[in-house]
């Protein structure tokens, strides 16, 4: 720690890591001190020279008496004094909350602009851009942001905010931080810092805001959106793209104090961005959030099982056509390679891998290889499946075991292994489990298949509830009759074993519902984060009927196989 003089205010400056390494300057927000960055700083210090300081009025730094001494001119003088003391020709600036708000304003100022190599903004918009959003945004979106920002107007009232903050600030912080307190955060000086920090809002918030005439920063900017932030809306942050041509927009499923709740994820993002600006190749995640990305699946990594044919092949092709890099997995390596060749012929990127989804050890190795060679997938489609058709009493134990191993355990393995990778990465993701109309429409001739698909749907519902807090969506896709080879490749037993079931394959082909249409539903479901999607007319009718009249569904199950009995 050392002291920095800035006008009549003395700032407390803190440094760690090798001074010869690239410098990362972490600026805290309101009502924090430099200690809010403790976890992130400790994760960065092995690769960077990490610098923090208590802004004026906070922590150990001095506090001016006049409100106007908290304006941007004084904040700019403080940052200039810090940069002069650090003595580096360029630093990577990271701001949170008010640290980000002042960062947006200061990175374009002479004397500071040329010394900032990159800017990472967390939880604090550019106020001029925010003013433009309020004037020109959609009324509903603007209203939503204004409701989130109600406290800004309240802070302008004399005296009353001071009285309220003295009484409730510690309790409010405990509620919103949502992480157990530890020494240094919330700081022992919290109430005093909160009272002093009102000057930031009163000196800067209600001044006249103009529309930026040109893109504000000329340096690379990384915008880290915390998707559960109660103070800043996603639509406001998305409008930043209008003004920043070199913008990497990244997301963390976290609340406002992300450096406390997800320090590893945030530290990794800061490091990846700074190292890329210094000349290192971008990580997969950073590349996927690059400026100018065309669509939601551009540069995303997608894993599809059963990708050698049918719905799996069509899904792999659809994601690749939308810019994704696809891992095409199938028990038939030759079929997976043919899917990859088709994708490559269309200009897409894909890789073939052989795996039996029923083999737990094989799936563990497959998941490890995907992570090591390609990265953590953003989307996983558990599609591989088989069918056994015939009466229950003619199903052997092996028929049940193989059906459940592939249709259910294959999905369990895919969810278990890849969801764990997504959760560890901390940036969300999406899992699609391909079930069937049979998940909610029983059939006397598909007992094992229907049981496995019903279990897949329930598993999907359970996982969706568990993983939602980590930003990982889960969708169950329930197609009706689709023109694929599943009926032709099915095993027929009992009364269907002598060829009576073979017309089923011809019937599916005659249905004329191509797997490409199911793939389109899958992409739409991921984009909209839908929980359950019934596909095609019979799928939708069956799903609706199962909810409206379960008894009717049971009668249909008997009639479909020719049985005559009463419900």
């Amino acid at each position: 720690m050392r002291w920095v003089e800035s006008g009549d205010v003395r700032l407390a400056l803190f440094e760690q890591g090798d001074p010869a390494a690239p410098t990362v300057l972490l600026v805290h927000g309101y009502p924090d001190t430099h200690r809010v960055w403790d976890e992130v700083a400790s994760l960065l210090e092995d690769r960077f020279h990490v610098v923090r300081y208590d802004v004026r009025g906070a922590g150990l730094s001095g506090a001016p008496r006049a409100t106007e001494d908290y304006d941007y001119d004084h904040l700019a003088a403080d940052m200039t004094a810090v940069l002069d003391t650090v003595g580096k020709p360029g630093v990577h600036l990271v701001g949170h909350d008010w640290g980000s708000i002042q960062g947006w304003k200061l990175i374009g100022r002479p004397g500071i602009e040329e010394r900032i190599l990159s800017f990472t903004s967390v939880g604090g918009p550019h106020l001029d851009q925010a003013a433009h959003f309020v004037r020109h945004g959609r009324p509903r979106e603007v209203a939503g942001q204004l409701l989130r920002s109600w406290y800004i107007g309240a802070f302008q009232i004399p005296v009353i905010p001071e009285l309220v903050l003295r009484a409730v600030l510690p309790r409010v912080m405990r509620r919103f931080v949502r992480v157990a307190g530890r020494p240094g955060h919330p700081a022992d000086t919290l109430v005093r810092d909160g009272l002093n920090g009102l000057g930031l809002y009163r000196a800067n918030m209600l001044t006249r805001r103009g529309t930026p005439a040109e893109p504000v920063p000329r340096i690379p900017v990384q915008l880290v959106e915390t998707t559960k932030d109660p103070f800043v809306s996603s639509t406001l942050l998305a409008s930043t793209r209008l003004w920043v041509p070199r913008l990497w927009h990244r997301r963390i499923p976290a609340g406002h104090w992300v450096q406390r709740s997800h320090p590893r994820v945030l530290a990794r993002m800061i490091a990846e961005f700074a190292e890329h600006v210094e000349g290192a190749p971008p990580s997969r995640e950073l590349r996927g959030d690059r400026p100018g990305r065309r669509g939601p699946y551009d540069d995303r990594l997608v894993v599809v099982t059963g990708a050698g044919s049918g719905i799996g092949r069509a899904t792999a092709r659809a994601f690749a056509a939308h810019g994704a890099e696809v891992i095409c997995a199938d028990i038939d390596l030759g079929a997976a390679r043919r899917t990859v060749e088709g994708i490559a012929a269309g200009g897409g990127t894909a890789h073939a891998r052989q795996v039996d989804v029923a083999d737990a050890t094989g799936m563990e190795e497959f998941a490890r290889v995907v992570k090591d060679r390609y990265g953590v997938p953003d989307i996983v489609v558990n599609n591989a499946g088989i069918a056994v058709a015939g009466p229950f009493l003619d199903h052997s134990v092996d028929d049940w075991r193989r059906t459940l191993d592939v249709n259910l355990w294959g999905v369990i393995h895919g969810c278990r292994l890849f969801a764990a990778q997504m959760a560890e990465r901390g940036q969300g993701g999406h899992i699609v489990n391909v079930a069937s109309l049979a998940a909610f429409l029983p059939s006397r001739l598909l007992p094992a298949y229907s049981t496995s698909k019903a279990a897949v749907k329930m598993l999907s519902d359970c996982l969706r509830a568990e993983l939602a807090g980590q930003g990982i969506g889960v969708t169950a896709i329930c197609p009706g009759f689709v023109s694929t080879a599943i009926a032709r490749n099915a095993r027929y037993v009992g009364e269907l074993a002598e060829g009576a079931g073979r017309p089923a394959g011809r019937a599916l082909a005659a249905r004329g519902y191509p797997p490409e249409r199911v793939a389109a539903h899958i992409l739409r479901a991921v984009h909209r984060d839908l929980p359950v999607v019934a596909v095609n007319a019979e799928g939708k009718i069956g799903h609706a009927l199962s909810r409206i009249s379960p008894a009717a569904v049971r009668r249909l199950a008997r009639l479909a196989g020719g049985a005559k009995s009463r419900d």
Side-chain angles (χ1 to χ4, degrees), residues 358-378:
D359 179 2
T361 302
M363 280 293 286
E364 289 172 357
E365 175 64 13
F366 169 63
R368 185 193 63 78
V369 169
V370 169
K371 180 179 179 181
D372 292 346
R373 294 191 181 182
Y374 310 106
V376 176
D378 301 290

Side-chain angles (χ1 to χ4, degrees), residues 140-449:
R140 183 176 179 179
E141 295 172 350
V142 171
Q145 179 56 56
L146 291 176
L147 284 174
R148 292 170 180 257
S149 304
W150 63 268
Y151 60 92
I152 295 176
F155 283 173
Q156 310 304 318
I157 302 171
V159 182
I160 294 178
E162 283 84 347
L163 296 175
V164 173
L165 289 177
R166 289 181 190 276
V168 306
L169 188 54
R171 191 164 50 224
V172 169
M173 282 289 287
R174 284 194 297 270
R175 175 185 175 187
F176 281 108
V177 174
R178 296 185 182 275
V179 179
R182 49 104 170 122
H185 192 258
D188 294 338
T189 55
L190 174 63
V191 173
R192 187 188 69 203
D193 297 341
L195 298 176
N196 290 337
L198 291 173
L200 294 169
Y201 291 90
R202 292 168 176 171
N204 300 294
M205 279 293 186
L206 297 188
T207 57
R208 180 175 175 80
R209 300 282 166 205
T211 298
E214 57 182 354
V216 179
R218 297 176 176 83
I219 60 171
V221 175
Q222 176 177 228
L223 176 65
V224 178
E225 175 185 346
T226 52
T227 59
K228 301 176 184 179
D229 195 326
F231 307 117
V232 184
S233 70
S234 178
T235 51
L236 171 58
L237 294 178
S239 69
T240 305
R241 290 188 180 275
L242 296 172
W243 314 108
V244 185
R246 301 176 66 189
L247 180 74
W248 283 256
H249 187 171
R250 314 185 73 181
R251 295 171 176 83
I252 303 177
H256 187 70
W257 278 273
V258 61
Q259 64 270 69
R260 290 291 324 282
S261 62
H262 294 68
R264 292 188 180 278
V265 180
L266 183 57
R268 188 184 73 244
M269 287 184 172
I270 293 169
E272 288 174 349
F273 190 58
E275 288 171 345
H276 177 52
V277 171
E278 295 277 347
S283 65
R284 164 171 291 284
E285 289 80 7
L286 189 60
R287 191 168 71 244
D289 295 315
R290 74 187 190 281
R293 189 163 59 88
R294 293 171 298 171
Y297 304 121
D298 236 18
D299 281 323
R300 299 306 185 196
L301 182 64
V302 180
V303 172
V304 181
T305 65
S309 63
I311 293 173
R313 179 174 59 194
T315 301
R317 288 176 171 176
F319 274 115
H322 284 76
E325 181 176 354
V326 185
I327 310 298
C328 300
D330 201 283
I331 195 170
D332 183 345
L333 182 59
R337 285 174 173 165
R338 288 190 290 275
T339 299
V340 168
E341 289 169 0
I343 290 172
T349 303
H351 314 278
R353 301 296 305 183
Q354 184 177 35
V355 68
D356 180 355
V357 297
D359 179 2
T361 302
M363 280 293 286
E364 289 172 357
E365 175 64 13
F366 169 63
R368 185 193 63 78
V369 169
V370 169
K371 180 179 179 181
D372 292 346
R373 294 191 181 182
Y374 310 106
V376 176
D378 301 290
I379 301 164
V380 174
V381 182
N382 292 305
N383 163 75
I386 62 172
V388 176
F392 169 79
L393 294 179
D394 292 315
H395 277 58
S396 69
V397 171
D398 286 341
D399 291 332
W400 275 95
R401 181 176 292 116
R402 183 58 181 165
T403 301
L404 295 178
D405 280 351
V406 174
N407 292 2
L408 177 56
W409 274 105
V411 174
I412 292 172
H413 295 321
C415 292
R416 176 176 62 90
L417 297 167
F418 289 113
Q421 292 183 8
M422 293 176 181
E424 181 183 14
R425 180 181 62 175
Q427 292 179 240
H430 205 101
I431 295 173
V432 176
N433 296 326
V434 178
S436 168
L437 164 67
F440 36 78
L441 200 64
S443 167
R444 63 186 295 271
L445 296 180
L446 290 169
Y449 180 81

Side-chain angles (χ1 to χ4, degrees), residues 8 57 121 294 365 383 396 485 504 506 513 556:
D8 59 352
S121 166
R294 293 171 298 171
E365 175 64 13
N383 163 75
S396 69
R506 294 192 294 272
Y513 197 91
L556 285 173

